[in-house]
Amino acid sequence: PRPLTVRHSTSTSVSEMSRQMQEARQAMAENEEANMVMQALRGANTNENDFQDGDVRMQVVEMRAGEKGLPTTYQPEALAEYFGQRPGAVLSRVVQVATTSAGYLVGLAWDAARGRLVEAEVERAAQLRKTIVSLGPFFIKLGQALSIRPDILSPRAMVELQQLCDKVPSFPSDLAFATICDELGIASVSEAFSEITPEPVAAASLGQVYRATLRESGDIVAVKVQRPFVLETVSLDLYLFRQLGEFLRTFGPPALVERLDVVALLDEFASRFYGELDYVVECENGIRVKEDMKNLPRVLIPGNYPKWTTRRVHVAEW
């Protein structure tokens, strides 16, 4: 009968429309995730604020001996010997890392237990970024590396960690100026710079930058100052992760050990990381690049000032 035919047709039409709407929503979600991944890979998610996470304190390792006895190039055997004699510093850092990351890990486990991993993804990604910043330079570098790995992280997590490539909390300027004086062998920063901004104009995982004027020439320069206790903290973190890698190499699942050599990967990463800790190397590289590209009229490479550059202070053209 005709009425039955109408009802059946209407039901089919509504069902088909519902299916199409679901497919459209799914396509939109997939496109959004793809867009987020591409934005992260292009570095489009960096924040325009001068500094991020001003309420987050970056934790470092402060040892009585300071940098004394620590190698300034990556030498795993020397690090093992150095920290093998300092169990107190090792234990302190392990506790520091555990307590700092506990909040994120507990929250993640609670989300998983309630089946809310997807709903809480944005909140947990932001918490992960703040946790990484709190743990210091080594973890920030790992976060930066992960921020361009869509095969490991979700698009939302990539977007959040991309901000680690931009700016991180600064440290007090009085410490920075004290570092400048110690490194350059001067009593006051005014001996080297006729003007210098009272606060940094930018901050990154290893140091922060001030805009200054060289007293002897009047040149406008960028003065990069390394964070206090960076070498100690990075060295200890590398030592701990290498110990973990050695443990996994010996006792880890065979399938994992065959596919992934954590120690070899860490050694490759660490050797390059240590190069970033020495600003003299950065200055020399800058001079070499400027010389190599001097015949390219449309390429401008900032000049460097080796006279005012040390391992922890780098002065370059603004």
Side-chain angles (χ1 to χ4, degrees), residues 115-128:
R116 295 190 67 255
L117 284 175
V118 176
E119 293 86 341
E121 184 179 16
V122 175
E123 177 185 353
R124 293 304 170 205
Q127 187 180 11
L128 173 61

Side-chain angles (χ1 to χ4, degrees), residues 66-78:
E67 297 181 350
K68 185 178 180 181
L70 273 174
T72 55
T73 57
Y74 182 59
Q75 303 174 36
E77 294 79 10

Side-chain angles (χ1 to χ4, degrees), residues 2 28 31 39 47 90 104 113 130 234 236 247 277 311:
R2 188 172 181 178
M28 289 175 63
N31 289 337
Q39 289 174 12
N47 197 300
V90 173
Y104 168 74
K130 291 186 177 182
V234 168
L236 180 49
F247 177 84
L277 294 175
R311 191 176 63 81

Side-chain angles (χ1 to χ4, degrees), residues 59 92-104 135:
Q59 302 189 53
S92 176
R93 183 57 173 169
V94 170
V95 171
Q96 199 176 63
V97 171
T99 55
T100 301
S101 58
Y104 168 74
L135 290 173

